[in-house]
Amino acid sequence: MTYLVTGAGGQLGRAVLAEAQRRGLSAIGRSHTELPVEDADVVHRQLAEIRPKAVLHCAAWTDVDGCEGDPERAELINGRGAARVAEACREIRARLVYVSTDFVFDGQGTRPYREDDPVAPLSVYGQSKLAGERAVLEYPGFAVARTSWLFGPGGRNFPKAILARAKSGEPLRVVNDQTGSPTLTLDLAAALLDLAQSDAPGGVYHAANDGSCTWHEFAQQILARAGLGDVTVDTMSSAALGRPAARPAYSVLDCSKLAAVRGGKGLPHYLDGLDRYLATES
């Protein structure tokens, strides 16, 4: 049986395909160009032709500030796009695992968010991903996997940007009033495939690496573990950064529900993931 990965051109999509290959699974990847989720006819036709056992829906418009400036496009891709994929999966009786985000929360929590905690997204991006969640959850057996602060081999990500700036000699200032869990795409990919291959009930699952930090602390860890610990990283507030879209101040996820499905196995600590990432990027 075949697994279909949408958003296969992105960091997460590539990681899922690589993990499927490592497991000896038959997997097909489709980039946004090949499978534009905003086109209902294309989505239904391709899924009917491929007839996958499960779809891992990684495709999304993840430019948080870009979404803030174009809510219609955000809803088209992240909201209605997910709804079209869910409809097509129902028609061919394929399992669906939809990747969502910690940005569905308002960041006012004081302990890791559980799956049943109230949602209140602060940004258009978070709202559009929540719309996608609700569309997917209309169908029994479909799963939503919320994750956070993704980084991984290939493409743009926070560790790569920090290292490039440090090596250029430019000053570094990083926000210290947002706390979350950096998550390695390779670890998330394994968790997503575990969900897709399992008989676990549908519903919402949280999937992030263990541990938490601020962006400033993460930057310091990146530099220290890359042998650049002498580089100074100044702090700044989110307000001073002045991004168009608001970010949750606290978005650590409680991933115990997913760990139970995986036989008690949670995702590794984010520092373990960071070390493995740095080993691949050096």
PDB file of all heavy atoms in Angstrom, residues 41-80:
ATOM      1  N   ASP A  41     -10.609  19.927  -8.121  1.00  0.00           N
ATOM      2  CA  ASP A  41     -10.608  18.910  -9.169  1.00  0.00           C
ATOM      3  C   ASP A  41      -9.300  18.138  -9.197  1.00  0.00           C
ATOM      4  O   ASP A  41      -9.293  16.902  -9.314  1.00  0.00           O
ATOM      5  CB  ASP A  41     -10.860  19.554 -10.541  1.00  0.00           C
ATOM      6  CG  ASP A  41     -12.272  20.088 -10.679  1.00  0.00           C
ATOM      7  OD1 ASP A  41     -13.152  19.617  -9.927  1.00  0.00           O
ATOM      8  OD2 ASP A  41     -12.494  20.962 -11.536  1.00  0.00           O
ATOM      9  N   VAL A  42      -8.188  18.850  -9.085  1.00  0.00           N
ATOM     10  CA  VAL A  42      -6.882  18.192  -9.097  1.00  0.00           C
ATOM     11  C   VAL A  42      -6.719  17.287  -7.884  1.00  0.00           C
ATOM     12  O   VAL A  42      -6.244  16.157  -7.987  1.00  0.00           O
ATOM     13  CB  VAL A  42      -5.747  19.246  -9.131  1.00  0.00           C
ATOM     14  CG1 VAL A  42      -4.390  18.572  -8.935  1.00  0.00           C
ATOM     15  CG2 VAL A  42      -5.765  20.013 -10.443  1.00  0.00           C
ATOM     16  N   VAL A  43      -7.125  17.771  -6.723  1.00  0.00           N
ATOM     17  CA  VAL A  43      -7.002  16.979  -5.491  1.00  0.00           C
ATOM     18  C   VAL A  43      -7.793  15.681  -5.608  1.00  0.00           C
ATOM     19  O   VAL A  43      -7.263  14.588  -5.356  1.00  0.00           O
ATOM     20  CB  VAL A  43      -7.474  17.796  -4.270  1.00  0.00           C
ATOM     21  CG1 VAL A  43      -7.576  16.896  -3.038  1.00  0.00           C
ATOM     22  CG2 VAL A  43      -6.526  18.950  -4.003  1.00  0.00           C
ATOM     23  N   HIS A  44      -9.035  15.775  -5.990  1.00  0.00           N
ATOM     24  CA  HIS A  44      -9.883  14.575  -6.070  1.00  0.00           C
ATOM     25  C   HIS A  44      -9.384  13.621  -7.154  1.00  0.00           C
ATOM     26  O   HIS A  44      -9.359  12.401  -6.944  1.00  0.00           O
ATOM     27  CB  HIS A  44     -11.338  14.977  -6.341  1.00  0.00           C
ATOM     28  CG  HIS A  44     -12.038  15.506  -5.130  1.00  0.00           C
ATOM     29  ND1 HIS A  44     -12.805  14.721  -4.308  1.00  0.00           N
ATOM     30  CD2 HIS A  44     -12.061  16.752  -4.589  1.00  0.00           C
ATOM     31  CE1 HIS A  44     -13.292  15.451  -3.317  1.00  0.00           C
ATOM     32  NE2 HIS A  44     -12.853  16.688  -3.473  1.00  0.00           N
ATOM     33  N   ARG A  45      -8.965  14.159  -8.293  1.00  0.00           N
ATOM     34  CA  ARG A  45      -8.499  13.303  -9.378  1.00  0.00           C
ATOM     35  C   ARG A  45      -7.217  12.564  -9.000  1.00  0.00           C
ATOM     36  O   ARG A  45      -7.111  11.343  -9.207  1.00  0.00           O
ATOM     37  CB  ARG A  45      -8.275  14.133 -10.641  1.00  0.00           C
ATOM     38  CG  ARG A  45      -7.845  13.270 -11.846  1.00  0.00           C
ATOM     39  CD  ARG A  45      -7.776  14.070 -13.124  1.00  0.00           C
ATOM     40  NE  ARG A  45      -6.700  15.060 -13.108  1.00  0.00           N
ATOM     41  CZ  ARG A  45      -6.894  16.377 -12.992  1.00  0.00           C
ATOM     42  NH1 ARG A  45      -8.122  16.860 -12.884  1.00  0.00           N
ATOM     43  NH2 ARG A  45      -5.873  17.209 -13.001  1.00  0.00           N
ATOM     44  N   GLN A  46      -6.253  13.285  -8.427  1.00  0.00           N
ATOM     45  CA  GLN A  46      -4.981  12.638  -8.106  1.00  0.00           C
ATOM     46  C   GLN A  46      -5.126  11.602  -6.995  1.00  0.00           C
ATOM     47  O   GLN A  46      -4.532  10.525  -7.063  1.00  0.00           O
ATOM     48  CB  GLN A  46      -3.935  13.682  -7.721  1.00  0.00           C
ATOM     49  CG  GLN A  46      -3.441  14.493  -8.902  1.00  0.00           C
ATOM     50  CD  GLN A  46      -2.017  15.002  -8.686  1.00  0.00           C
ATOM     51  OE1 GLN A  46      -1.215  14.397  -8.009  1.00  0.00           O
ATOM     52  NE2 GLN A  46      -1.715  16.125  -9.314  1.00  0.00           N
ATOM     53  N   LEU A  47      -5.908  11.909  -5.982  1.00  0.00           N
ATOM     54  CA  LEU A  47      -6.071  10.925  -4.907  1.00  0.00           C
ATOM     55  C   LEU A  47      -6.826   9.692  -5.394  1.00  0.00           C
ATOM     56  O   LEU A  47      -6.526   8.563  -4.977  1.00  0.00           O
ATOM     57  CB  LEU A  47      -6.772  11.541  -3.702  1.00  0.00           C
ATOM     58  CG  LEU A  47      -5.805  12.070  -2.620  1.00  0.00           C
ATOM     59  CD1 LEU A  47      -5.028  13.273  -3.113  1.00  0.00           C
ATOM     60  CD2 LEU A  47      -6.545  12.391  -1.334  1.00  0.00           C
ATOM     61  N   ALA A  48      -7.774   9.911  -6.309  1.00  0.00           N
ATOM     62  CA  ALA A  48      -8.499   8.761  -6.870  1.00  0.00           C
ATOM     63  C   ALA A  48      -7.577   7.900  -7.719  1.00  0.00           C
ATOM     64  O   ALA A  48      -7.724   6.668  -7.763  1.00  0.00           O
ATOM     65  CB  ALA A  48      -9.681   9.260  -7.696  1.00  0.00           C
ATOM     66  N   GLU A  49      -6.615   8.516  -8.398  1.00  0.00           N
ATOM     67  CA  GLU A  49      -5.665   7.763  -9.220  1.00  0.00           C
ATOM     68  C   GLU A  49      -4.626   7.034  -8.358  1.00  0.00           C
ATOM     69  O   GLU A  49      -4.306   5.871  -8.604  1.00  0.00           O
ATOM     70  CB  GLU A  49      -4.949   8.711 -10.190  1.00  0.00           C
ATOM     71  CG  GLU A  49      -5.854   9.276 -11.284  1.00  0.00           C
ATOM     72  CD  GLU A  49      -5.159  10.355 -12.099  1.00  0.00           C
ATOM     73  OE1 GLU A  49      -4.022  10.759 -11.731  1.00  0.00           O
ATOM     74  OE2 GLU A  49      -5.752  10.824 -13.101  1.00  0.00           O
ATOM     75  N   ILE A  50      -4.104   7.702  -7.336  1.00  0.00           N
ATOM     76  CA  ILE A  50      -3.060   7.107  -6.498  1.00  0.00           C
ATOM     77  C   ILE A  50      -3.640   6.094  -5.519  1.00  0.00           C
ATOM     78  O   ILE A  50      -3.030   5.057  -5.264  1.00  0.00           O
ATOM     79  CB  ILE A  50      -2.300   8.224  -5.735  1.00  0.00           C
ATOM     80  CG1 ILE A  50      -1.598   9.159  -6.727  1.00  0.00           C
ATOM     81  CG2 ILE A  50      -1.270   7.619  -4.770  1.00  0.00           C
ATOM     82  CD1 ILE A  50      -1.051  10.429  -6.086  1.00  0.00           C
ATOM     83  N   ARG A  51      -4.808   6.403  -4.980  1.00  0.00           N
ATOM     84  CA  ARG A  51      -5.500   5.563  -3.998  1.00  0.00           C
ATOM     85  C   ARG A  51      -4.546   5.125  -2.870  1.00  0.00           C
ATOM     86  O   ARG A  51      -4.320   3.927  -2.645  1.00  0.00           O
ATOM     87  CB  ARG A  51      -6.149   4.346  -4.654  1.00  0.00           C
ATOM     88  CG  ARG A  51      -7.145   4.684  -5.755  1.00  0.00           C
ATOM     89  CD  ARG A  51      -8.069   3.528  -6.069  1.00  0.00           C
ATOM     90  NE  ARG A  51      -9.040   3.303  -5.007  1.00  0.00           N
ATOM     91  CZ  ARG A  51     -10.182   3.995  -4.883  1.00  0.00           C
ATOM     92  NH1 ARG A  51     -10.470   4.973  -5.735  1.00  0.00           N
ATOM     93  NH2 ARG A  51     -11.005   3.725  -3.896  1.00  0.00           N
ATOM     94  N   PRO A  52      -3.997   6.086  -2.143  1.00  0.00           N
ATOM     95  CA  PRO A  52      -3.067   5.747  -1.067  1.00  0.00           C
ATOM     96  C   PRO A  52      -3.781   5.126   0.126  1.00  0.00           C
ATOM     97  O   PRO A  52      -4.984   5.332   0.332  1.00  0.00           O
ATOM     98  CB  PRO A  52      -2.472   7.105  -0.689  1.00  0.00           C
ATOM     99  CG  PRO A  52      -3.571   8.076  -1.008  1.00  0.00           C
ATOM    100  CD  PRO A  52      -4.231   7.537  -2.246  1.00  0.00           C
ATOM    101  N   LYS A  53      -3.017   4.389   0.904  1.00  0.00           N
ATOM    102  CA  LYS A  53      -3.542   3.865   2.169  1.00  0.00           C
ATOM    103  C   LYS A  53      -3.770   5.015   3.146  1.00  0.00           C
ATOM    104  O   LYS A  53      -4.735   5.016   3.913  1.00  0.00           O
ATOM    105  CB  LYS A  53      -2.559   2.864   2.765  1.00  0.00           C
ATOM    106  CG  LYS A  53      -2.967   2.340   4.138  1.00  0.00           C
ATOM    107  CD  LYS A  53      -1.930   1.383   4.690  1.00  0.00           C
ATOM    108  CE  LYS A  53      -2.347   0.862   6.069  1.00  0.00           C
ATOM    109  NZ  LYS A  53      -1.346  -0.071   6.631  1.00  0.00           N
ATOM    110  N   ALA A  54      -2.852   5.976   3.127  1.00  0.00           N
ATOM    111  CA  ALA A  54      -2.953   7.144   4.011  1.00  0.00           C
ATOM    112  C   ALA A  54      -2.316   8.347   3.346  1.00  0.00           C
ATOM    113  O   ALA A  54      -1.405   8.206   2.524  1.00  0.00           O
ATOM    114  CB  ALA A  54      -2.282   6.867   5.354  1.00  0.00           C
ATOM    115  N   VAL A  55      -2.792   9.524   3.717  1.00  0.00           N
ATOM    116  CA  VAL A  55      -2.224  10.782   3.243  1.00  0.00           C
ATOM    117  C   VAL A  55      -1.653  11.526   4.438  1.00  0.00           C
ATOM    118  O   VAL A  55      -2.334  11.703   5.449  1.00  0.00           O
ATOM    119  CB  VAL A  55      -3.287  11.660   2.550  1.00  0.00           C
ATOM    120  CG1 VAL A  55      -2.707  13.024   2.187  1.00  0.00           C
ATOM    121  CG2 VAL A  55      -3.831  10.965   1.309  1.00  0.00           C
ATOM    122  N   LEU A  56      -0.400  11.917   4.319  1.00  0.00           N
ATOM    123  CA  LEU A  56       0.217  12.769   5.325  1.00  0.00           C
ATOM    124  C   LEU A  56       0.234  14.177   4.748  1.00  0.00           C
ATOM    125  O   LEU A  56       1.021  14.476   3.842  1.00  0.00           O
ATOM    126  CB  LEU A  56       1.624  12.273   5.667  1.00  0.00           C
ATOM    127  CG  LEU A  56       1.612  10.894   6.345  1.00  0.00           C
ATOM    128  CD1 LEU A  56       1.945   9.801   5.328  1.00  0.00           C
ATOM    129  CD2 LEU A  56       2.574  10.831   7.509  1.00  0.00           C
ATOM    130  N   HIS A  57      -0.674  14.993   5.249  1.00  0.00           N
ATOM    131  CA  HIS A  57      -0.917  16.313   4.646  1.00  0.00           C
ATOM    132  C   HIS A  57      -0.001  17.355   5.278  1.00  0.00           C
ATOM    133  O   HIS A  57      -0.349  18.018   6.260  1.00  0.00           O
ATOM    134  CB  HIS A  57      -2.383  16.686   4.814  1.00  0.00           C
ATOM    135  CG  HIS A  57      -2.772  17.946   4.102  1.00  0.00           C
ATOM    136  ND1 HIS A  57      -2.243  18.321   2.889  1.00  0.00           N
ATOM    137  CD2 HIS A  57      -3.643  18.937   4.449  1.00  0.00           C
ATOM    138  CE1 HIS A  57      -2.768  19.479   2.513  1.00  0.00           C
ATOM    139  NE2 HIS A  57      -3.616  19.874   3.450  1.00  0.00           N
ATOM    140  N   CYS A  58       1.182  17.495   4.680  1.00  0.00           N
ATOM    141  CA  CYS A  58       2.192  18.458   5.151  1.00  0.00           C
ATOM    142  C   CYS A  58       2.109  19.783   4.417  1.00  0.00           C
ATOM    143  O   CYS A  58       2.765  20.757   4.823  1.00  0.00           O
ATOM    144  CB  CYS A  58       3.596  17.874   4.984  1.00  0.00           C
ATOM    145  SG  CYS A  58       3.855  16.291   5.815  1.00  0.00           S
ATOM    146  N   ALA A  59       1.356  19.832   3.325  1.00  0.00           N
ATOM    147  CA  ALA A  59       1.284  21.057   2.526  1.00  0.00           C
ATOM    148  C   ALA A  59       0.599  22.172   3.312  1.00  0.00           C
ATOM    149  O   ALA A  59      -0.434  21.953   3.952  1.00  0.00           O
ATOM    150  CB  ALA A  59       0.512  20.783   1.237  1.00  0.00           C
ATOM    151  N   ALA A  60       1.183  23.363   3.282  1.00  0.00           N
ATOM    152  CA  ALA A  60       0.598  24.519   3.960  1.00  0.00           C
ATOM    153  C   ALA A  60       1.324  25.777   3.516  1.00  0.00           C
ATOM    154  O   ALA A  60       2.460  25.713   3.035  1.00  0.00           O
ATOM    155  CB  ALA A  60       0.711  24.368   5.477  1.00  0.00           C
ATOM    156  N   TRP A  61       0.675  26.896   3.701  1.00  0.00           N
ATOM    157  CA  TRP A  61       1.352  28.175   3.552  1.00  0.00           C
ATOM    158  C   TRP A  61       1.781  28.584   4.953  1.00  0.00           C
ATOM    159  O   TRP A  61       0.960  28.968   5.783  1.00  0.00           O
ATOM    160  CB  TRP A  61       0.426  29.224   2.947  1.00  0.00           C
ATOM    161  CG  TRP A  61       1.151  30.500   2.590  1.00  0.00           C
ATOM    162  CD1 TRP A  61       2.478  30.646   2.303  1.00  0.00           C
ATOM    163  CD2 TRP A  61       0.580  31.809   2.484  1.00  0.00           C
ATOM    164  NE1 TRP A  61       2.783  31.954   2.019  1.00  0.00           N
ATOM    165  CE2 TRP A  61       1.631  32.696   2.120  1.00  0.00           C
ATOM    166  CE3 TRP A  61      -0.707  32.314   2.649  1.00  0.00           C
ATOM    167  CZ2 TRP A  61       1.423  34.060   1.934  1.00  0.00           C
ATOM    168  CZ3 TRP A  61      -0.921  33.668   2.461  1.00  0.00           C
ATOM    169  CH2 TRP A  61       0.137  34.533   2.096  1.00  0.00           C
ATOM    170  N   THR A  62       3.061  28.457   5.241  1.00  0.00           N
ATOM    171  CA  THR A  62       3.575  28.633   6.599  1.00  0.00           C
ATOM    172  C   THR A  62       4.229  29.990   6.846  1.00  0.00           C
ATOM    173  O   THR A  62       4.810  30.202   7.912  1.00  0.00           O
ATOM    174  CB  THR A  62       4.587  27.520   6.931  1.00  0.00           C
ATOM    175  OG1 THR A  62       5.658  27.553   5.977  1.00  0.00           O
ATOM    176  CG2 THR A  62       3.925  26.149   6.895  1.00  0.00           C
ATOM    177  N   ASP A  63       4.156  30.886   5.889  1.00  0.00           N
ATOM    178  CA  ASP A  63       4.688  32.236   6.069  1.00  0.00           C
ATOM    179  C   ASP A  63       3.709  33.001   6.960  1.00  0.00           C
ATOM    180  O   ASP A  63       2.708  33.538   6.492  1.00  0.00           O
ATOM    181  CB  ASP A  63       4.841  32.922   4.712  1.00  0.00           C
ATOM    182  CG  ASP A  63       5.376  34.347   4.804  1.00  0.00           C
ATOM    183  OD1 ASP A  63       5.461  34.885   5.932  1.00  0.00           O
ATOM    184  OD2 ASP A  63       5.701  34.931   3.755  1.00  0.00           O
ATOM    185  N   VAL A  64       3.995  33.026   8.254  1.00  0.00           N
ATOM    186  CA  VAL A  64       3.056  33.581   9.228  1.00  0.00           C
ATOM    187  C   VAL A  64       2.735  35.041   8.928  1.00  0.00           C
ATOM    188  O   VAL A  64       1.561  35.447   8.940  1.00  0.00           O
ATOM    189  CB  VAL A  64       3.614  33.419  10.656  1.00  0.00           C
ATOM    190  CG1 VAL A  64       2.666  34.055  11.677  1.00  0.00           C
ATOM    191  CG2 VAL A  64       3.834  31.951  10.972  1.00  0.00           C
ATOM    192  N   ASP A  65       3.751  35.829   8.648  1.00  0.00           N
ATOM    193  CA  ASP A  65       3.508  37.240   8.355  1.00  0.00           C
ATOM    194  C   ASP A  65       2.879  37.434   6.980  1.00  0.00           C
ATOM    195  O   ASP A  65       2.070  38.343   6.783  1.00  0.00           O
ATOM    196  CB  ASP A  65       4.810  38.029   8.467  1.00  0.00           C
ATOM    197  CG  ASP A  65       5.330  38.078   9.897  1.00  0.00           C
ATOM    198  OD1 ASP A  65       4.498  38.176  10.824  1.00  0.00           O
ATOM    199  OD2 ASP A  65       6.554  38.006  10.095  1.00  0.00           O
ATOM    200  N   GLY A  66       3.241  36.577   6.036  1.00  0.00           N
ATOM    201  CA  GLY A  66       2.602  36.628   4.728  1.00  0.00           C
ATOM    202  C   GLY A  66       1.113  36.347   4.824  1.00  0.00           C
ATOM    203  O   GLY A  66       0.294  37.003   4.162  1.00  0.00           O
ATOM    204  N   CYS A  67       0.751  35.376   5.641  1.00  0.00           N
ATOM    205  CA  CYS A  67      -0.666  35.056   5.845  1.00  0.00           C
ATOM    206  C   CYS A  67      -1.424  36.248   6.416  1.00  0.00           C
ATOM    207  O   CYS A  67      -2.573  36.507   6.044  1.00  0.00           O
ATOM    208  CB  CYS A  67      -0.806  33.870   6.801  1.00  0.00           C
ATOM    209  SG  CYS A  67      -0.344  32.260   6.110  1.00  0.00           S
ATOM    210  N   GLU A  68      -0.765  36.977   7.314  1.00  0.00           N
ATOM    211  CA  GLU A  68      -1.422  38.127   7.946  1.00  0.00           C
ATOM    212  C   GLU A  68      -1.812  39.167   6.897  1.00  0.00           C
ATOM    213  O   GLU A  68      -2.841  39.835   7.029  1.00  0.00           O
ATOM    214  CB  GLU A  68      -0.484  38.747   8.977  1.00  0.00           C
ATOM    215  CG  GLU A  68      -1.174  39.564  10.041  1.00  0.00           C
ATOM    216  CD  GLU A  68      -2.016  38.734  10.996  1.00  0.00           C
ATOM    217  OE1 GLU A  68      -1.833  37.505  11.071  1.00  0.00           O
ATOM    218  OE2 GLU A  68      -2.874  39.333  11.686  1.00  0.00           O
ATOM    219  N   GLY A  69      -0.996  39.272   5.853  1.00  0.00           N
ATOM    220  CA  GLY A  69      -1.272  40.256   4.810  1.00  0.00           C
ATOM    221  C   GLY A  69      -2.196  39.764   3.717  1.00  0.00           C
ATOM    222  O   GLY A  69      -2.664  40.552   2.894  1.00  0.00           O
ATOM    223  N   ASP A  70      -2.457  38.454   3.693  1.00  0.00           N
ATOM    224  CA  ASP A  70      -3.309  37.880   2.648  1.00  0.00           C
ATOM    225  C   ASP A  70      -4.173  36.767   3.247  1.00  0.00           C
ATOM    226  O   ASP A  70      -3.977  35.583   2.980  1.00  0.00           O
ATOM    227  CB  ASP A  70      -2.442  37.321   1.515  1.00  0.00           C
ATOM    228  CG  ASP A  70      -3.244  37.007   0.259  1.00  0.00           C
ATOM    229  OD1 ASP A  70      -4.492  36.977   0.349  1.00  0.00           O
ATOM    230  OD2 ASP A  70      -2.634  36.769  -0.805  1.00  0.00           O
ATOM    231  N   PRO A  71      -5.142  37.137   4.101  1.00  0.00           N
ATOM    232  CA  PRO A  71      -5.969  36.124   4.770  1.00  0.00           C
ATOM    233  C   PRO A  71      -6.763  35.242   3.811  1.00  0.00           C
ATOM    234  O   PRO A  71      -7.019  34.075   4.115  1.00  0.00           O
ATOM    235  CB  PRO A  71      -6.897  36.956   5.656  1.00  0.00           C
ATOM    236  CG  PRO A  71      -6.845  38.345   5.121  1.00  0.00           C
ATOM    237  CD  PRO A  71      -5.490  38.503   4.510  1.00  0.00           C
ATOM    238  N   GLU A  72      -7.113  35.778   2.660  1.00  0.00           N
ATOM    239  CA  GLU A  72      -7.889  34.975   1.707  1.00  0.00           C
ATOM    240  C   GLU A  72      -7.059  33.796   1.191  1.00  0.00           C
ATOM    241  O   GLU A  72      -7.544  32.665   1.115  1.00  0.00           O
ATOM    242  CB  GLU A  72      -8.358  35.842   0.542  1.00  0.00           C
ATOM    243  CG  GLU A  72      -9.243  35.081  -0.446  1.00  0.00           C
ATOM    244  CD  GLU A  72      -9.808  35.984  -1.526  1.00  0.00           C
ATOM    245  OE1 GLU A  72      -9.771  37.207  -1.367  1.00  0.00           O
ATOM    246  OE2 GLU A  72     -10.294  35.431  -2.537  1.00  0.00           O
ATOM    247  N   ARG A  73      -5.802  34.079   0.858  1.00  0.00           N
ATOM    248  CA  ARG A  73      -4.936  32.999   0.381  1.00  0.00           C
ATOM    249  C   ARG A  73      -4.650  31.998   1.503  1.00  0.00           C
ATOM    250  O   ARG A  73      -4.616  30.782   1.277  1.00  0.00           O
ATOM    251  CB  ARG A  73      -3.627  33.567  -0.161  1.00  0.00           C
ATOM    252  CG  ARG A  73      -2.724  32.477  -0.741  1.00  0.00           C
ATOM    253  CD  ARG A  73      -1.416  33.022  -1.295  1.00  0.00           C
ATOM    254  NE  ARG A  73      -0.610  31.932  -1.824  1.00  0.00           N
ATOM    255  CZ  ARG A  73       0.700  31.806  -1.654  1.00  0.00           C
ATOM    256  NH1 ARG A  73       1.349  32.713  -0.944  1.00  0.00           N
ATOM    257  NH2 ARG A  73       1.340  30.798  -2.164  1.00  0.00           N
ATOM    258  N   ALA A  74      -4.453  32.501   2.717  1.00  0.00           N
ATOM    259  CA  ALA A  74      -4.199  31.614   3.853  1.00  0.00           C
ATOM    260  C   ALA A  74      -5.362  30.645   4.057  1.00  0.00           C
ATOM    261  O   ALA A  74      -5.166  29.441   4.252  1.00  0.00           O
ATOM    262  CB  ALA A  74      -3.970  32.437   5.118  1.00  0.00           C
ATOM    263  N   GLU A  75      -6.573  31.172   3.999  1.00  0.00           N
ATOM    264  CA  GLU A  75      -7.750  30.323   4.176  1.00  0.00           C
ATOM    265  C   GLU A  75      -7.901  29.349   3.005  1.00  0.00           C
ATOM    266  O   GLU A  75      -8.274  28.183   3.191  1.00  0.00           O
ATOM    267  CB  GLU A  75      -8.999  31.200   4.306  1.00  0.00           C
ATOM    268  CG  GLU A  75     -10.321  30.438   4.285  1.00  0.00           C
ATOM    269  CD  GLU A  75     -10.467  29.436   5.422  1.00  0.00           C
ATOM    270  OE1 GLU A  75      -9.746  29.543   6.430  1.00  0.00           O
ATOM    271  OE2 GLU A  75     -11.306  28.535   5.291  1.00  0.00           O
ATOM    272  N   LEU A  76      -7.599  29.813   1.799  1.00  0.00           N
ATOM    273  CA  LEU A  76      -7.723  28.971   0.613  1.00  0.00           C
ATOM    274  C   LEU A  76      -6.813  27.755   0.703  1.00  0.00           C
ATOM    275  O   LEU A  76      -7.226  26.635   0.394  1.00  0.00           O
ATOM    276  CB  LEU A  76      -7.381  29.794  -0.632  1.00  0.00           C
ATOM    277  CG  LEU A  76      -7.453  29.071  -1.985  1.00  0.00           C
ATOM    278  CD1 LEU A  76      -8.880  28.603  -2.265  1.00  0.00           C
ATOM    279  CD2 LEU A  76      -6.955  29.982  -3.097  1.00  0.00           C
ATOM    280  N   ILE A  77      -5.572  27.966   1.136  1.00  0.00           N
ATOM    281  CA  ILE A  77      -4.601  26.870   1.183  1.00  0.00           C
ATOM    282  C   ILE A  77      -4.703  26.083   2.478  1.00  0.00           C
ATOM    283  O   ILE A  77      -4.841  24.847   2.472  1.00  0.00           O
ATOM    284  CB  ILE A  77      -3.171  27.409   0.997  1.00  0.00           C
ATOM    285  CG1 ILE A  77      -3.018  28.012  -0.403  1.00  0.00           C
ATOM    286  CG2 ILE A  77      -2.145  26.296   1.210  1.00  0.00           C
ATOM    287  CD1 ILE A  77      -1.684  28.711  -0.636  1.00  0.00           C
ATOM    288  N   ASN A  78      -4.650  26.765   3.604  1.00  0.00           N
ATOM    289  CA  ASN A  78      -4.581  26.080   4.887  1.00  0.00           C
ATOM    290  C   ASN A  78      -5.922  25.589   5.403  1.00  0.00           C
ATOM    291  O   ASN A  78      -5.982  24.579   6.110  1.00  0.00           O
ATOM    292  CB  ASN A  78      -3.952  27.006   5.939  1.00  0.00           C
ATOM    293  CG  ASN A  78      -2.519  27.367   5.603  1.00  0.00           C
ATOM    294  OD1 ASN A  78      -1.850  26.678   4.853  1.00  0.00           O
ATOM    295  ND2 ASN A  78      -2.045  28.471   6.164  1.00  0.00           N
ATOM    296  N   GLY A  79      -6.971  26.314   5.068  1.00  0.00           N
ATOM    297  CA  GLY A  79      -8.302  25.936   5.536  1.00  0.00           C
ATOM    298  C   GLY A  79      -9.046  25.080   4.527  1.00  0.00           C
ATOM    299  O   GLY A  79      -9.221  23.871   4.703  1.00  0.00           O
ATOM    300  N   ARG A  80      -9.481  25.712   3.435  1.00  0.00           N
ATOM    301  CA  ARG A  80     -10.251  24.964   2.433  1.00  0.00           C
ATOM    302  C   ARG A  80      -9.403  23.912   1.735  1.00  0.00           C
ATOM    303  O   ARG A  80      -9.924  22.874   1.314  1.00  0.00           O
ATOM    304  CB  ARG A  80     -10.838  25.948   1.412  1.00  0.00           C
ATOM    305  CG  ARG A  80     -12.095  26.662   1.930  1.00  0.00           C
ATOM    306  CD  ARG A  80     -12.602  27.676   0.931  1.00  0.00           C
ATOM    307  NE  ARG A  80     -11.826  28.918   1.002  1.00  0.00           N
ATOM    308  CZ  ARG A  80     -11.845  29.867   0.070  1.00  0.00           C
ATOM    309  NH1 ARG A  80     -12.569  29.691  -1.016  1.00  0.00           N
ATOM    310  NH2 ARG A  80     -11.126  30.967   0.227  1.00  0.00           N
TER     311      ARG A  80
END
